[in-house]
Amino acid sequence: RDAQGQVTEVLNFAVDVTAQVEARQQVQQLNQELEARVQARTQQALALQADLLEAAQRQVQVRESFYQIFEQTPAAVSLLRGPTYRFEYVNPVFQQVFAGRQLVGRDFAEALPDAASQGYLAMLEGVYRTGETFFGAEVPFVSEQPDSPPHPVYFNFTYQAYRENGEIVGISTFALDVTEQVLARQERETQRQQLYTVFEQAPIGIAIQAGPDLVYEFHNPSYLWMVPDRQLVGKRFFDVFPEMAGTHVETLLRHVYETGETQQEQELLIPVARADGSTELEDRYFTVVYQARRDEQGHSNGILAFVMEVTEQVHARQQVQALNEELAAINEELAAINEELTATNEELNTTNTQLTRTNVDLDTFVYTASHDLKAPITNIESITLALRDTLPAAVQQDEMTAHLLHLLEHTTTRFQLTIGQLTDLSKLQLAHASSAEPVPLAAVIEAVRLDLTPVLAGANAQLTVEVAPDLLVSFSPANLRSAIYNLLSNAVKYRALDRPAQVQVRAYSTGPRVALEVQDNGLGLNAHQQSRLFGLFQRLHTHVEGTGVGLYITKRLVENGGGTITVASHVDVGTTFTLTFPT
């Protein structure tokens, strides 16, 4: 332009901008591509965001499902966080196990001190430290709460570590209460043990044979006692007892196994191999019961055998039967003998009647003889005394005359003693016929004491009586007095001269009888003398005058009246006579 602004000329300037245009075009193309990529990434991000949202929703749903599962599962579930094992979650079953305890938000040892003391805390620490899952089978837990009875509860459980960012941050627990199963198994075990004990102690043989081959699974000692030389468990029946193959025993066993029907046999004859290994069979008798053992489906899978050997009983019965047959024959012989005995008894009755008459005649003769001889003996004694009075002293001093006079006096004395013995014996028959009656024992002893007063005084003897006044015996009064008189007079007669004589009389009841003891501190008797004491004409102390029939008569009197008499004596100590009488 000029000064006035007018265009005066045109200046032409040209710049090559091809590269810029191409660059701009490239930039535009890149922008378009970038925008397309951004849009694609945006769409991808939106899709991813949608996926993540959906996944988050699904995770929430899954967590909710797991939560519902944990809440409804019959197992006890809990989550423990941190090294103090703080309860973060427990499901209702877990809380019910520890009813009445606050768990969530509390540490394990604080919330469950009894579980901690029973080893559960140590198990948790092992899992938290190592990360290895712990499996517990039928582990017992005993609640130590005051309001909980101390009975064990059993659990199958796992302690498993759970992690965040690869680090252990807690432990999850999963437990099942198996108390009922454990107690049921324990009860079954107890019952099995009790049954086993019953089988072991049973007096009959019991065995269990399994399968069609009848393999021994069990036998008790009583079963083995019948066949002590055989190995049973794990072996087949017919391998152990080959001699029973093809016998009735095999028939019974096969029938039970195949049909399930129980078979029983009484006194079954079974030939059994001998224990000494010989090939000879021994006949033995058994009472057997074979019963099928069944599986859960009711099929036979074995046999229960109950066996009792009765060989001895069978032999005993056979022997009894044989003896009965012998006895029958003997009874027939005895019947014939009884007929003979009847005839003999009739003859004996006739003979006894004759003997009774003869005894009466003898008693009469003894009494008559003893009575009739007294006068002649008395005359002889008087003649002897007259001779002593009339013969000159020189004649009496003659050796032969003095000897003859001595013999005559001694013979007269012996005659008098013999006549006295005959008189006493003749009284015994009359005493036997005396009737018994209630007699106060103390009154009889007192009467005898009064009769013996001069004798007791002359011997300076002390008599002590301990007898209740109301004590009665059933006896003949005269015979009772005679027996007591004889024992008391003997106690004085056979006293020891080197010490004061003491006689003690005691009586007491012994059930249906009365015992009377007469004890002295006299000369005493040795064992040989005691064995002869009650014999007829036994004089054991010859320095004292006597007939030797007193104790014989006393024993007869006491025993004829239903009593007894015994003696216990020691030389130079004394003697005790014990009499018993019916009441």
Side-chain angles (χ1 to χ4, degrees):
R1 292 179 187 270
D2 56 15
Q4 287 77 30
Q6 295 294 319
V7 176
T8 59
E9 56 184 347
V10 176
L11 297 176
N12 185 18
F13 299 93
V15 178
D16 188 356
V17 292
T18 301
Q20 290 87 336
V21 171
E22 289 177 352
R24 186 175 66 250
Q25 291 176 345
Q26 289 178 353
V27 168
Q28 289 178 348
Q29 185 178 357
L30 288 175
N31 286 336
Q32 292 175 352
E33 291 178 358
L34 180 59
E35 182 178 359
R37 289 181 181 177
V38 168
Q39 290 179 352
R41 291 296 179 90
T42 300
Q43 292 177 353
Q44 289 177 354
L46 292 173
L48 180 60
Q49 184 177 7
D51 290 341
L52 289 175
L53 180 60
E54 183 179 357
Q57 290 176 346
R58 284 199 304 270
Q59 186 175 10
V60 170
Q61 293 175 350
V62 170
R63 288 177 61 86
E64 181 63 25
S65 297
F66 275 118
Y67 178 80
Q68 293 299 326
I69 291 173
F70 287 166
E71 287 290 298
Q72 298 174 10
T73 183
V77 180
S78 70
L79 295 177
L80 305 172
R81 177 171 288 276
T84 61
Y85 317 111
R86 185 180 68 258
F87 280 102
E88 193 172 66
Y89 167 79
V90 297
N91 72 342
V93 175
F94 195 99
Q95 183 63 63
Q96 185 179 0
V97 173
F98 301 100
R101 306 198 199 189
Q102 177 61 40
L103 301 179
V104 176
R106 301 179 69 190
D107 293 342
F108 183 88
E110 177 188 5
L112 303 175
D114 41 4
S117 64
Q118 294 175 41
Y120 286 84
L121 182 60
M123 301 175 195
L124 290 171
E125 291 174 343
V127 174
Y128 194 87
R129 183 178 63 256
T130 65
E132 296 179 0
T133 301
F134 177 85
F135 298 92
E138 297 181 358
V139 181
F141 168 72
V142 180
S143 176
E144 298 177 0
Q145 293 294 103
D147 57 346
S148 177
H151 62 273
V153 181
Y154 297 87
F155 294 98
N156 287 345
F157 66 90
T158 60
Y159 284 166
Q160 184 175 6
Y162 76 87
R163 295 172 169 80
E164 292 179 358
N165 300 322
E167 298 292 332
I168 296 175
V169 296
I171 295 175
S172 62
T173 70
F174 186 89
L176 287 174
D177 186 344
V178 293
T179 303
E180 290 187 4
Q181 297 90 311
V182 172
L183 295 180
R185 189 183 69 254
Q186 290 175 349
E187 183 177 359
R188 290 196 301 271
E189 178 62 23
T190 300
Q191 293 174 347
R192 189 194 68 80
Q193 187 61 40
Q194 291 174 345
L195 184 61
Y196 177 80
T197 301
V198 170
F199 282 0
E200 285 290 299
Q201 298 177 357
I204 66 172
I206 301 175
I208 300 176
Q209 301 158 353
D213 291 334
L214 304 178
V215 177
Y216 278 100
E217 285 187 351
F218 167 82
H219 63 78
N220 68 345
S222 296
Y223 191 95
L224 187 62
W225 178 83
M226 293 183 288
V227 284
D229 56 318
R230 318 225 184 181
Q231 179 66 35
L232 302 180
V233 175
K235 294 191 175 182
R236 296 181 296 182
F237 178 83
F238 292 106
D239 289 341
V240 178
F241 300 101
E243 67 270 25
M244 296 189 192
T247 68
H248 186 53
V249 173
E250 181 175 8
T251 302
L252 292 173
L253 291 171
R254 298 300 181 196
H255 181 80
V256 173
Y257 190 85
E258 292 170 4
T259 68
E261 298 177 357
T262 299
Q263 296 293 302
Q264 179 175 349
E265 291 282 343
Q266 299 287 337
E267 299 180 358
L268 177 63
L269 173 61
I270 303 177
V272 182
R274 294 183 178 274
D276 57 9
S278 64
T279 57
E280 183 180 358
L281 299 181
E282 178 182 13
D283 285 344
R284 296 166 67 180
Y285 294 86
F286 299 87
T287 293
V288 300
V289 177
Y290 293 143
Q291 181 177 345
R293 187 185 69 174
R294 301 180 184 276
D295 58 20
E296 296 178 354
Q297 289 73 38
H299 301 142
S300 296
N301 64 358
I303 290 179
L304 300 176
F306 303 89
V307 184
M308 180 168 61
E309 183 168 4
V310 292
T311 303
E312 292 184 1
Q313 295 89 319
V314 172
H315 288 167
R317 191 182 67 252
Q318 292 172 345
Q319 291 174 357
V320 169
Q321 184 175 354
L323 289 175
N324 286 335
E325 293 174 356
E326 292 180 9
L327 285 174
I330 292 172
N331 286 334
E332 294 179 359
E333 296 177 2
L334 287 176
I337 294 173
N338 283 334
E339 294 178 1
E340 297 178 3
L341 287 176
T342 301
T344 303
N345 285 334
E346 293 176 356
E347 295 178 3
L348 287 175
N349 287 332
T350 303
T351 303
N352 285 335
T353 301
Q354 294 175 350
L355 286 175
T356 300
R357 287 197 294 267
T358 301
N359 285 334
V360 172
D361 293 341
L362 284 174
D363 290 337
T364 304
F365 170 75
V366 169
Y367 178 78
T368 303
S370 63
H371 183 272
D372 292 345
L373 286 174
K374 285 183 180 179
I377 295 303
T378 302
N379 290 336
I380 294 173
E381 184 180 20
S382 300
I383 292 171
T384 303
L385 292 174
L387 287 175
R388 287 284 189 188
D389 292 338
T390 59
L391 287 176
V395 176
Q396 293 188 35
Q397 291 175 358
D398 179 72
E399 182 178 352
M400 179 60 69
T401 302
H403 179 65
L404 291 174
L405 288 172
H406 175 72
L407 288 177
L408 187 59
E409 290 173 344
H410 181 70
T411 301
T412 301
T413 303
R414 294 300 304 163
F415 264 115
Q416 290 174 334
L417 288 174
T418 300
I419 290 170
Q421 293 170 351
L422 290 173
T423 301
D424 291 337
L425 290 174
S426 66
K427 294 178 181 178
L428 191 58
Q429 182 65 27
L430 298 175
H432 182 65
S434 301
S435 60
E437 60 183 76
V439 182
L441 189 57
V444 175
I445 296 172
E446 177 61 17
V448 173
R449 186 191 68 79
L450 292 175
D451 292 344
L452 291 175
T453 298
V455 177
L456 293 169
N460 194 25
Q462 180 182 359
L463 174 62
T464 303
V465 179
E466 298 178 5
V467 180
D470 58 347
L471 194 59
L472 300 178
V473 297
S474 179
F475 213 76
S476 165
N479 293 350
L480 179 60
R481 184 187 185 285
S482 178
I484 295 174
Y485 185 94
N486 196 4
L487 292 177
L488 291 180
S489 61
N490 279 355
V492 177
K493 184 186 299 184
Y494 298 105
R495 66 187 181 278
L497 299 180
D498 58 347
R499 55 182 177 270
Q502 295 182 352
V503 183
Q504 295 180 335
V505 180
R506 295 181 293 272
Y508 49 89
S509 295
T510 58
R513 304 184 72 82
V514 170
L516 173 67
E517 292 181 355
V518 178
Q519 181 180 5
D520 64 54
N521 65 338
L523 298 174
L525 302 165
N526 59 34
H528 178 67
Q529 290 172 322
Q530 292 178 54
S531 66
R532 299 166 49 205
L533 184 61
F534 296 108
L536 187 59
F537 302 122
Q538 297 294 325
R539 298 187 63 233
L540 306 179
H541 294 291
T542 57
H543 68 285
V544 178
E545 289 294 333
T547 63
V549 297
L551 288 177
Y552 170 80
I553 292 174
T554 300
K555 180 176 174 65
R556 289 284 303 276
L557 289 174
V558 172
E559 292 180 347
N560 287 344
T564 63
I565 181 169
T566 57
V567 63
S569 185
H570 297 280
V571 176
D572 293 331
V573 176
T575 302
T576 300
F577 287 92
T578 302
L579 293 76
T580 66
F581 303 98
T583 57

